[in-house]
Amino acid sequence: MPVLPGAEPYRHEGGEVGVLLCHGFTGSPQSLRPWAEYLAERGLTVSLPLLPGHGTRWQDMAVTGWQDWYAEVDRELRALREECEQVFVFGLSMGGALALRLAAKHGDAISGIVVVNPANKVHGAAAHALPVARHLVRTTKGLANDIAKEGMDEVAYDRVPLHAAHSLRNFLRLLDGELPQVTQPMLLLHSPQDHVVPPADSARILGRVSSTDVREVLLEQSYHVATLDHDAERIFEESHTFVGRLAPSVGKKGSTTGG
């Protein structure tokens, strides 16, 4: 299947500091593309992959699971490690959860993580019905476009395949047990008004990671897809400052490299 316009993966060869960006569940690289380009313009090497089953049609996602999505970002992380001296991992929503698992598994190979409205749990009574419901109903209503800013549109599916949702639930439960293994510096930005992932998820993550260098930022003007919302520039600036503090070599070479 052809990739939806705007959902293409993005790669930029910059300097010796790399950033891996992970998009969210049923979403696509489009939701993080402005963030990726912001970082690329400032000399960073950037990888923003398209997760398997995403960016085409929901039927393609229905035959994938968390192991597929995690394997993709794990592979991209290893590729960045081959060419960069330091690597950071950023993520939105489920992408934030993927970033946290990479941090738990790769330890010192990751210099820091930035997560925006990270997911920790599939909420609601329907979540408990997923093991059975996924065999009876193929999809449910989509999660896309929780954005306060008018005129913005997220390239994401309008349906959620229940097999994939069940896999996501299993992944988040697994990750919750691994959060104490996360020790890297962390910047966590979240929206008090988020209609997809409640603030309780961020609180849970902050309470369970072992990181001691942690900063929490509230995105008061944005909903769930904050990277396309009113607080987008703040996210970009805060994350770049975070990387610059931990990687003094940022921008020293590759800042004029084309992408």
Side-chain angles (χ1 to χ4, degrees):
M1 285 296 296
V3 174
L4 295 168
E8 303 86 3
Y10 174 81
R11 194 80 160 71
H12 173 83
E13 302 297 331
E16 60 197 29
V17 178
V19 177
L20 168 64
L21 295 105
C22 309
H23 70 75
F25 182 70
T26 74
S28 75
Q30 179 259 355
S31 61
L32 301 183
R33 183 67 177 259
W35 195 3
E37 292 177 344
Y38 179 99
L39 298 168
E41 288 166 4
R42 284 152 183 80
L44 293 156
T45 291
V46 179
S47 175
L48 171 53
L50 173 63
L51 299 179
H54 291 70
T56 53
R57 56 180 193 152
W58 68 258
Q59 290 90 341
D60 295 329
M61 187 179 181
V63 294
T64 66
W66 76 261
Q67 295 92 340
D68 303 302
W69 315 324
Y70 180 76
E72 181 67 18
V73 295
D74 186 80
R75 184 182 65 78
E76 287 295 320
L77 173 65
R78 293 173 190 274
L80 278 176
R81 286 286 302 160
E82 289 289 320
E83 59 181 297
C84 297
E85 288 188 8
Q86 285 183 265
V87 175
F88 294 78
V89 184
F90 297 0
L92 168 69
S93 192
M94 180 187 76
L98 291 171
L100 287 163
R101 184 160 208 259
L102 288 171
K105 293 298 183 183
H106 287 270
D108 293 343
I110 295 174
S111 295
I113 53 176
V114 179
V115 291
V116 179
N117 292 323
N120 175 257
K121 184 179 180 181
V122 175
H123 294 268
H128 300 290
L130 276 173
V132 175
R134 66 194 176 106
H135 297 294
L136 306 173
V137 182
R138 295 186 72 190
T139 68
T140 188
K141 185 174 177 289
L143 307 168
N145 275 321
D146 188 34
I147 304 172
K149 188 175 183 180
E150 289 188 14
M152 299 304 292
D153 189 41
E154 181 189 13
V155 177
Y157 296 149
D158 59 2
R159 305 296 298 175
V160 175
L162 291 194
H163 276 293
H166 177 65
S167 184
L168 172 62
R169 180 174 180 247
N170 290 339
F171 170 62
L172 294 177
R173 292 169 76 178
L174 171 72
L175 173 64
D176 191 64
E178 297 174 340
L179 287 176
Q181 299 172 38
V182 177
T183 60
Q184 295 89 342
M186 180 171 74
L187 172 62
L188 187 152
L189 309 100
H190 68 99
S191 308
Q193 293 188 77
D194 185 328
H195 306 97
V196 178
V197 174
D201 283 31
S202 288
R204 172 79 176 177
I205 290 165
L206 288 168
R208 286 187 61 74
V209 297
S210 298
S211 306
T212 55
D213 181 350
V214 177
R215 180 153 185 258
E216 178 184 10
V217 175
L218 294 182
L219 305 172
E220 301 279 2
Q221 308 301 316
S222 301
Y223 294 162
H224 183 62
V225 192
T227 50
L228 296 178
D229 216 327
H230 294 294
D231 291 297
E233 282 294 323
R234 184 176 185 194
I235 294 168
F236 305 165
E237 291 166 6
E238 292 272 9
S239 66
H240 185 253
T241 299
F242 173 81
V243 170
R245 176 170 66 83
L246 297 166
S249 61
V250 165
K252 286 190 178 177
K253 69 175 186 177
S255 57
T256 58
T257 304

